[in-house]
């Protein structure tokens, strides 16, 4: 069973790495286009009043997605290493899940405020920016409980 679990996790890690590389490449091109006008010129209306906010939204949309994928991949690799050692729930994944929630919030918040690049002066906070990080935090809490129970059971004779 242990071999089958790590095998499927390795396939999942490969799939996540592939999708992350594709998504981050596309997002990186969009980020460079918005900031520097190349390789594809984008239609950004720069306003001196809130240019800092526009740059923040552009950069942190990419940084949030990058951080999320790095944390997700490290979560999977931690699970693989732990399963090989016989541990079902590694404790360090709890913090990684909270980091995923924060990175998701940043990325989704910046994504929903990309309209600032077109001259809109309203900041939006949509349902997804709140709901998705909350779901990830709930999963992190449940995972932490599973870690505690797993550690208690490993000490029980």
């Amino acid at each position: 069973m242990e071999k089958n679990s790590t095998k499927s996790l390795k396939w999942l890690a490969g799939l996540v790495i592939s999708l992350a590389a594709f998504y981050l490449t596309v997002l990186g091109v969009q980020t460079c286009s918005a900031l520097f006008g190349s390789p594809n010129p984008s239609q950004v209306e720069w306003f001196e009043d809130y240019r800092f906010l526009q740059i923040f939204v552009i950069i942190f949309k990419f940084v949030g997605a990058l951080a999320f994928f790095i944390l997700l991949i490290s979560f999977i690799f931690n699970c693989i290493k732990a399963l090989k050692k016989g541990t079902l729930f590694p404790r360090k994944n709890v913090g990684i899940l909270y980091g995923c929630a924060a990175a998701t919030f940043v990325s989704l918040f910046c994504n929903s405020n990309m309209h600032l690049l077109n001259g809109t002066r309203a900041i939006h906070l949509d349902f997804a920016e709140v709901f998705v990080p909350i779901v990830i935090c709930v999963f992190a809490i449940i995972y932490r409980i599973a870690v505690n129970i797993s550690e208690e059971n490993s000490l029980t004779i």
Side-chain angles (χ1 to χ4, degrees):
M1 169 133 171
E2 189 176 301
K3 219 175 208 184
N4 289 337
S5 298
T6 58
K7 185 177 180 181
S8 61
L9 281 174
K10 288 176 184 176
W11 276 100
L12 180 64
L15 179 65
V16 168
I17 290 169
S18 301
L19 291 174
F22 177 74
Y23 180 74
L24 291 172
T25 300
V26 170
L27 196 56
V29 168
Q30 291 174 353
T31 302
C32 289
S33 296
L35 290 174
F36 308 115
S38 68
N40 301 323
S42 65
Q43 301 293 327
V44 178
E45 294 182 36
W46 295 107
F47 293 97
E48 291 301 320
D49 297 347
Y50 58 99
R51 185 181 184 115
F52 174 78
L53 183 60
Q54 289 175 312
I55 292 172
F56 176 86
V57 166
I58 292 169
I59 292 173
F60 278 91
K61 179 182 174 186
F62 179 79
V63 169
L66 177 66
F68 174 76
F69 282 118
I70 289 171
L71 290 168
L72 181 61
I73 292 166
S74 65
F75 178 88
I76 295 170
F77 283 145
N78 284 339
C79 288
I80 292 170
K81 282 191 263 181
L83 282 174
K84 287 182 178 180
K85 292 179 182 176
T87 305
L88 191 55
F89 299 102
R91 181 167 289 281
K92 57 186 162 184
N93 279 352
V94 175
I96 290 174
L97 286 171
Y98 285 118
C100 283
T104 302
F105 174 77
V106 168
S107 183
L108 290 174
F109 179 75
C110 291
N111 189 44
S112 70
N113 285 292
M114 288 300 285
H115 60 85
L116 292 171
L117 304 180
N118 299 325
T120 307
R121 292 183 180 230
I123 295 177
H124 293 162
L125 182 64
D126 294 330
F127 178 72
E129 288 93 47
V130 177
F131 182 72
V132 173
I134 287 174
V135 169
I136 295 172
C137 286
V138 167
F139 182 71
I141 292 168
I142 293 169
Y143 193 92
R144 185 182 58 207
I145 293 168
V147 167
N148 292 338
I149 291 172
S150 177
E151 288 175 352
E152 286 176 13
N153 286 342
S154 68
L155 297 175
T156 304
I157 297 176

